[in-house]
Amino acid sequence: MTEAEETYYTEERWQNWLSRVEEEDLDPENEDSARLLLNLQDDAAIAVAKIVSAYEDGRLEDEEAIEELERVRTIVLSEPELDIEDEAAREDKVMLIDGVQTSLVCVFYAAEEYIVAGAAEEAPLTEYVEAAAAAEQDDDMDAALGYLVQAGTRIIEGDELDMAVVEELEYGLVSEWVNGLDSLQSAMSDPEVVEEEEDED
């Protein structure tokens, strides 16, 4: 599995991103800050896309692909350790990273679901998002996540989600998860998008 670890994602890679977050004076309203956080998210989504692609190509068996997704998820969703003395500043950055991690939860579940059960029933992706938003209104977050996981499997299958739908969503977990699906969509169409910004593979 050593080759797989180097191919898809490593703890060192995630820590490199966290180091950049530590060093930057982050303001989500600032374009450069927002781009850094988005790149952090997109980079993890690319790892997921590569695992799914390896599974589709027969380079990974289903159990191997699930194991690899679980390994990457453990790295990406673990509580970030930031070496910042100012507690308020550290908490602010942890909160921003938490937003990225929340968005990625749906990406990991969608990839697992796709490998285990294949793509969900074909339907307009906006319908899945609207169903998720309605479930969120009813405080049924399990159902909301379920709808978006299904949408994620359709994105992996090649369907396209019109991100204009996000503008109609109230801010909450559903909007965060849909944001993650946007990263997954980008990763499936161009799995090298963030590589150029990294000094090392």
Side-chain angles (χ1 to χ4, degrees):
M1 196 57 100
T2 308
E3 184 184 345
E5 288 178 11
E6 290 173 1
T7 304
Y8 303 115
Y9 211 77
T10 61
E11 195 153 345
E12 182 184 10
R13 189 175 181 88
W14 178 247
Q15 287 300 328
N16 285 344
W17 283 108
L18 293 188
S19 295
R20 288 178 63 181
V21 171
E22 277 181 358
E23 293 160 9
E24 298 285 336
D25 185 16
L26 289 186
D27 173 3
E29 303 300 317
N30 175 283
E31 190 177 332
D32 287 341
S33 294
R35 187 180 299 115
L36 173 58
L37 292 167
L38 183 60
N39 285 348
L40 173 75
Q41 180 171 307
D42 283 352
D43 196 44
I46 285 167
V48 171
K50 285 182 174 179
I51 293 167
V52 171
S53 296
Y55 163 72
E56 289 180 320
D57 295 345
R59 287 178 284 127
L60 285 177
E61 297 292 330
D62 51 0
E63 285 185 13
E64 291 176 315
I66 294 292
E67 275 180 26
E68 193 60 22
L69 283 170
E70 180 59 37
R71 192 185 63 76
V72 177
R73 175 171 39 200
T74 300
I75 293 170
V76 171
L77 299 188
S78 61
E79 190 169 340
E81 294 181 13
L82 302 180
D83 188 18
I84 301 172
E85 289 186 9
D86 183 327
E87 189 170 340
R90 183 172 58 78
E91 285 179 2
D92 284 347
K93 290 190 176 183
V94 166
M95 190 171 68
L96 292 172
I97 293 166
D98 183 64
V100 170
Q101 292 172 317
T102 299
S103 296
L104 288 167
V105 164
C106 190
V107 173
F108 284 108
Y109 276 129
E112 283 186 5
E113 179 69 15
Y114 181 82
I115 290 167
V116 171
E121 184 180 336
E122 191 168 352
L125 292 185
T126 50
E127 288 185 12
Y128 282 116
V129 174
E130 286 162 5
E136 185 174 36
Q137 290 289 321
D138 293 336
D139 287 328
D140 189 349
M141 298 315 298
D142 286 343
L145 181 58
Y147 286 123
L148 294 182
V149 166
Q150 290 178 308
T153 66
R154 294 303 316 171
I155 287 171
I156 293 170
E157 187 75 0
D159 291 1
E160 193 164 332
L161 176 61
D162 181 358
M163 291 309 293
V165 71
V166 176
E167 295 165 15
E168 298 166 21
L169 295 174
E170 290 183 24
Y171 179 75
L173 281 175
V174 165
S175 66
E176 293 264 27
W177 290 333
V178 171
N179 184 272
L181 292 182
D182 187 30
S183 288
L184 177 62
Q185 184 162 274
S186 299
M188 293 305 299
S189 62
D190 184 4
E192 304 300 330
V193 68
V194 192
E195 298 284 357
E196 297 165 11
E197 301 199 10
E198 287 292 289
D199 295 331
E200 55 193 56
D201 192 89

